[in-house]
Amino acid sequence: MLKAVILIGGPQKGTRFRPLSFEVPKPLFPVAGVPMLQHHIEACAKVPNMKEILLVGFYQPNEELTRFICSAQQEFKILIRYLQEFAALGTGGGIYHFRDQILSGGPEAFFIMNADVCSEFPLPEMLNFQKEHGEPSSFVIMGTTANRKQSMNYGCIVENQQTNEVLHYVEKPSTFVSDIINCGIYLFTPEIFQHIGAVFQKNQQDIDEQTNGNGWHRAEAIRLEQDIFTALAGQGKLYVYKTPAFWSQIKSAGSAIYASRLYLNQYHKTHPERLLGPNVSIGTGVTIGAGVRVRESVILHGATLQDHSCVLNCIVGWDSTIGKWARVEGTPSDPNPNDPYAKIDSETLFRDGKLTPSITILGCNVTIPSEVIILNSIVLPHKDLNRSFKNQIIL
């Protein structure tokens, strides 16, 4: 049997997702009309012999997360549980801390997936690839091709082109290493815990020597990428499955719009009933007046777009209102369409002391009056604006 573990992080992350992450944990933010995590769960539930999905993170259990898990269990007919870390333990530390839960029932293999990625999730293909490469206990990283410059923002994989074995792994190198990048989706066998355990023992030993035995808990902070993959590369244990399908990170609100487009394109085949417009996703209870124009945007539940308003490249927050003839517009942060290997840039909020032009974000319960223009701006929750703004963070 198989299991899946989705790493959902915690509240100190997602700062580039503000103000939207004030209202909902980032993994539950709707992308293409459903919570970000639902895409992962839906893909896992389709894999034959998948028995359980574990969410690992350090969010406090809350009503929203509990409701989502109950709803997903009913919809996808699979057991889903949330395991809360006592602190941020890293991508390896979290799964090592809960290794007994992951291994209970004796899974032959399990997937590890970062919540903040958007993908077609070719999980059956990864399983077939694992059977054909290396020993039965080999591990698989999903990879994709990036352009030379952008590859340095990711984990870079040097492979043996004949066998697909990972010969060398470097996380965010300072110079070009390889155009094959880590997608944050892995297929492990239980043997991975021997390798993580060896790092844990070494960490514990180092900390004991430094602190006379008072810092044991820090030994559990382990990173799969730097601590495990770097060591496993070239040992005949680690292989890369290169996906030709779509993939992107969701680090910022702007990248959520792009991810939404990738999923909506897929919906033509998988969920035509969810399609609404040119990369537009509209939540429940949204009111849209006559003559409204919307594209490349996410409209969250309870929002109102009054007659003849125009919304382009935006996220409109829960219960917000855009007045008649108002224009709310942002700048897309899409990859270069002329470069087939381009990925979305991890844009910083400010550049040269100025707000980086990006999508416009309205927090929850924001009111935009009639006939004003809001461009490239971020509006924090519960604001009633009275004039136009451009390139502003409105507190």
Side-chain angles (χ1 to χ4, degrees), residues 100 106 206 234 336:
D100 291 345
D206 291 348
N336 178 355

Side-chain angles (χ1 to χ4, degrees), residues 10-27 29 36 59 116-117 153-154 171-172 247-257 315 333 343-351 355-356 358-362 377-380 393:
Q12 86 240 39
K13 303 283 186 184
T15 50
R16 282 180 281 178
F17 231 71
R18 291 174 182 164
L20 303 166
S21 53
F22 292 154
E23 310 301 325
V24 64
K26 180 181 164 184
F29 181 80
M36 199 186 292
Y59 287 99
D116 62 355
V117 297
N153 297 324
Y154 300 89
E171 185 68 19
K172 296 181 181 172
W247 177 88
S248 186
Q249 279 189 320
I250 309 178
K251 294 292 187 188
S252 64
S255 57
I257 296 268
I315 295 178
S333 46
K343 301 291 179 263
I344 198 156
D345 281 319
S346 292
E347 72 273 14
T348 54
L349 204 54
F350 294 95
R351 189 184 299 140
L355 187 66
T356 309
S358 185
I359 68 160
T360 286
I361 303 170
L362 308 184
S377 294
I378 297 172
V379 185
L380 267 67
I393 294 180

